[in-house]
Amino acid sequence: MNRYQMLIDGEWVDAAGGETFQSDNPFLGEAWALVPRANASDVDRAVAAARKAFRSPSWGGISATARGALLRRLADLIAAEAERLAVVETRDNGKLITEMRAQLRYIPQWFYYFGGLADKIEGRVIPIDKPGMVNFTREEPLGVVAAITPWNSPLMLATWKLAPALAAGNTVVWKPSEFSSVSALEFGRLFEMAGFPPGVVNIVTGFGSEIGERLVTHPQVAKIAFTGGDRTGQSVYELAAKSIKPVTLELGGKSANIVCKDAILDNAVKGVVSGIFAATGQTCIAGSRALIHRSIHDEFVDRLVALGKTARMGDPLLDSTQVGPITTRPQYDKVLDYIEIAKGEGAECMLGGGAATRPECGAGWFVEPTVFAGVTPSMRIAQEEVFGPVLSVLAFDEVEEAFDIANDTQYGLAAGIWTQDIGTAFAASRRLEAGTVWVNTYRATSYLSPFGGYKRSGIGRESGLTAIREYLQEKSVWIDTIGEVANPFVQR
Ligand code: NAD
C-alpha cells in the first residue's frame, strides 16, 4: 500500500492526529493508498501558511511577470509528467487512461494561458468628474482561496481553479475529494519543483464532513472555489454567506442532447453516446437526456443501442477499454438505485439496466451502459443527476417543445443540438438555458472559453478571460492634486 503525506507550508506532513484513510482502486475494488485524514487543526495550519505566503516578499512581493513565469515552469513540469500522473489518476478514480492522458496533456495549457495573463491584469484610469482629483483602479488578489474539488476529473478541475487563482496573486488551500486525493498529492510535488514559495499552495486531504466546514468558514479564507454536487454546493454557499465570502460554484447537471429530424444521424448517435457513456457518465456535462424527434426516434434508438452494445468494458488502464468502473462504492449503489427508480417509473429499458458481470470487469464497480426509452419529463430519471452511464430518451414533435423540455430542469450546465439548419442552431444558442451550448458536437471544453452553469448548476465561470475576475477585487484609488480640503461637513 502506498503511503502519502500532505503539503502544508512547503512541508510534507502527516495529519496532526496521525490518522489516515484508504483510497480505493475502483477497478480492483480494493484499497491501494493511505492518505492523511486531516482535522480542523490541519486546516488552521494550512490557512495560516497560505495567509503568511500571501503577504510574503517571495510571493506577495514578486512581480506579476515573475508569477507568470512560475506558472509556465509548472506547465512544463506537468507536460513532462503527464503520463505518470494519468496512470495515478486512473488507479485512484477508475477513469479511462485514454481520457486521463488526454486531460493531463491538456492541463499545461491552463497554466501557460493564465501564466501569460498574470502580467496583463490592468487597472483603469477613470475620467473622474471632480476637479483636481485623479481616480484609478487597482486589480488586487483576494488572499487565501479554498479550492474544493470532486473525484471525477481531479487534476483538471483543480487546475481550472489553481491556474487563475495563482495568476491573480492569491495563495491556495486545496482540498481534493477523499475519493481521489492521491493524484493531488503527486501533483503537489511539481509546485515545489517549479519553485513556488512554501505556503503558496497547500494540500489538505480528508473528508468534507470533517474539514469542509472549517475550511469554508475560516476567517482568513477569502474565497471559496468549489466543484461538486449541488447539495454540497448549497451548504458551502450557506456557510460562505455567514462570513460574507465570494464563491464560485461548479455544480451538477441534467444536460439535454437534442437530435432534430435533419441531423446527420451517424454523427448524432456518436455524439449522444459520447455524451453519456464516455467517462462512464461520471461527468458534470453528461448528456444524460437525449431528446429525439419523433420521426426518427425508433431508428435512432436502434442505432444507439447497437453502438452502446459494442462498448468494451474492463481495465481502465488498457487503451482499448471504452467504459470503466464507477469511481466510488456509494456512487455505484446510487447509479443502480436510479436504474431501479427508472424501471419503477415505467421507463422502458432498451440496453443494460444493471450491474456489469462481464469477466473482464473482475471485482470492479461496473454498471452496464444503460438506455431508457419512453421517459417523460416529469420522471425522476429525467430530472435528477445520476452521474453514471444511464441515458433517458424522450421524444419531441417540434423543436420549440424540445427547448422547453431541455430547460425544464433545475439545472443548466450544458446542452447539445444536432441539426443541419443554421436557424435552428442559432435558436438553440439563444433558447437553451445552459452555460454551454454545443451544436453538432459535444463535450468540447478549452482553457480559452468560459465554463459554468445557469440555474442550479452553479455560480461564476472557469477558464477564459472571465475566470481571472473571479479571483480579483477592484480597488478605487482617489488622489487630490489641488492640496486644499474643502468644507469637511459636505461630501466631496
Ligand atoms: P461532492 O459534492 O460530494 O464533493 C465535492 C467536494 O466537496 C469533495 O472534495 C468533498 O470532500 C467536499 N465536501 C463534501 N462535503 C463538504 C462540506 N460540508 N463542506 C465543504 N466541502 C465538502 O461531489 P463529488 O461526488 O465528489 O462529485 C460529483 C459531483 O460534482 C456531481 O454532482 C457533478 O455534477 C459535480 N461536478 C461538477 C462539475 C462542474 O464543473 N460543474 C465538474 C465535475 C463534477
Side-chain angles (χ1 to χ4, degrees):
M1 186 107 68
N2 299 35
R3 204 188 163 100
Y4 283 87
Q5 292 184 302
M6 56 189 184
L7 179 63
I8 298 180
D9 206 7
E11 306 274 326
W12 290 94
V13 296
D14 295 327
E19 287 189 81
T20 57
F21 64 97
Q22 295 182 345
S23 197
D24 295 331
N25 176 330
F27 174 58
L28 300 176
E30 62 185 35
W32 78 290
L34 274 182
V35 175
R37 181 172 185 158
N39 62 27
S41 73
D42 296 301
V43 170
D44 290 351
R45 269 195 306 148
V47 174
R51 183 69 196 161
K52 189 175 74 182
F54 180 67
R55 294 195 160 148
S56 70
S58 59
W59 179 253
I62 64 173
S63 69
T65 305
R67 245 180 10 240
L70 281 172
L71 286 165
R72 291 194 297 276
R73 204 171 307 145
L74 176 71
D76 290 341
L77 292 169
I78 299 166
E81 292 283 316
E83 182 65 27
R84 192 178 67 78
L85 289 168
V87 171
V88 173
E89 294 247 82
T90 294
R91 277 223 169 93
D92 212 24
N93 77 357
K95 295 261 296 256
L96 299 183
I97 187 67
T98 42
E99 169 123 338
M100 300 330 282
R101 189 184 287 134
Q103 286 191 3
L104 260 299
R105 287 184 181 160
Y106 201 23
I107 282 172
Q109 295 306 327
W110 272 264
F111 289 100
Y112 289 129
Y113 175 84
F114 285 102
L117 198 54
D119 59 5
K120 290 153 201 81
I121 301 165
E122 295 169 345
R124 298 171 293 150
V125 178
I126 312 286
I128 207 70
D129 58 333
K130 312 221 183 264
M133 286 281 199
V134 175
N135 178 237
F136 65 92
T137 65
R138 293 172 48 83
E139 295 288 343
E140 298 187 337
L142 301 162
V144 179
V145 171
I148 303 176
T149 51
W151 44 260
N152 61 326
S153 291
L155 295 182
M156 175 73 104
L157 296 170
T159 291
W160 290 10
K161 297 166 177 41
L162 267 56
L166 294 170
N170 300 281
T171 55
V172 175
V173 176
W174 170 17
K175 195 209 93 55
S177 165
E178 53 271 39
F179 295 108
S180 63
S181 299
V182 177
S183 61
L185 297 171
E186 294 277 359
F187 201 68
R189 302 221 166 264
L190 304 184
F191 288 92
E192 283 186 304
M193 287 164 67
F196 282 83
V200 171
V201 175
N202 305 273
I203 306 173
V204 179
T205 51
F207 291 83
S209 54
E210 294 177 4
I211 55 172
E213 180 165 346
R214 181 66 187 157
L215 187 56
V216 173
T217 56
H218 196 293
Q220 290 193 328
V221 167
K223 147 133 199 164
I224 318 295
F226 173 88
T227 299
D230 59 318
R231 294 234 171 88
T232 321
Q234 181 179 328
S235 55
V236 164
Y237 196 16
E238 284 167 4
L239 288 172
K242 285 193 182 152
S243 46
I244 321 282
K245 289 190 176 91
V247 294
T248 307
L249 300 174
E250 295 288 354
L251 309 176
K254 192 74 196 176
S255 302
N257 220 339
I258 302 170
V259 183
C260 300
K261 62 182 175 203
D262 67 346
I264 299 174
L265 274 203
D266 271 351
N267 289 348
V269 169
K270 285 183 195 150
V272 169
V273 163
S274 91
I276 189 64
F277 297 143
T280 319
Q282 300 174 107
T283 143
C284 53
I285 48 180
S288 52
R289 291 181 297 155
L291 277 46
I292 314 296
H293 192 272
R294 205 174 300 278
S295 66
I296 55 166
H297 175 276
D298 293 355
E299 184 190 352
F300 189 89
V301 172
D302 286 349
R303 288 206 204 184
L304 184 70
V305 167
L307 185 57
K309 270 189 186 147
T310 67
R312 283 187 299 274
M313 303 183 81
D315 185 348
L317 277 170
L318 297 177
D319 280 9
S320 54
T321 300
Q322 293 169 320
V323 175
I326 303 290
T327 297
T328 76
R329 177 76 212 206
Q331 184 62 26
Y332 170 76
D333 293 336
K334 181 179 154 194
V335 175
L336 293 177
D337 282 352
Y338 266 110
I339 289 176
E340 292 314 311
I341 289 168
K343 289 176 182 169
E345 286 180 309
E348 194 183 347
C349 189
M350 311 298 288
L351 178 69
T357 50
R358 309 178 191 192
E360 57 273 32
C361 296
W365 304 317
F366 283 84
V367 173
E368 285 290 340
T370 296
V371 174
F372 283 106
V375 175
T376 57
S378 61
M379 288 182 184
R380 285 182 65 191
I381 199 70
Q383 293 290 334
E384 298 173 21
E385 184 183 46
V386 176
F387 220 61
V390 180
L391 178 70
S392 299
V393 180
L394 298 89
F396 70 87
D397 294 300
E398 301 296 331
V399 74
E400 282 296 322
E401 180 197 354
F403 296 152
D404 288 340
I405 296 171
N407 291 339
D408 179 29
T409 77
Q410 55 187 341
Y411 297 110
L413 193 58
I417 185 159
W418 300 81
T419 176
Q420 293 186 76
D421 180 69
I422 189 74
T424 306
F426 267 110
S429 73
R430 189 171 37 81
R431 283 274 278 111
L432 291 169
E433 295 166 359
T436 297
V437 172
W438 290 293
V439 178
N440 295 332
T441 183
Y442 204 84
R443 277 191 98 215
T445 57
S446 165
Y447 54 96
L448 295 164
S449 184
F451 179 87
Y454 278 26
K455 304 193 284 190
R456 206 176 159 87
S457 290
I459 296 174
R461 292 292 176 269
E462 297 193 310
S463 300
L465 280 177
T466 326
I468 198 113
R469 299 256 147 242
E470 309 276 352
Y471 297 96
L472 290 166
Q473 51 195 340
E474 191 176 40
K475 180 181 278 174
S476 174
V477 181
W478 294 79
I479 300 179
D480 173 79
T481 62
I482 293 180
E484 76 190 37
V485 177
N487 183 350
F489 299 101
V490 177
Q491 189 177 8
R492 182 94 197 261

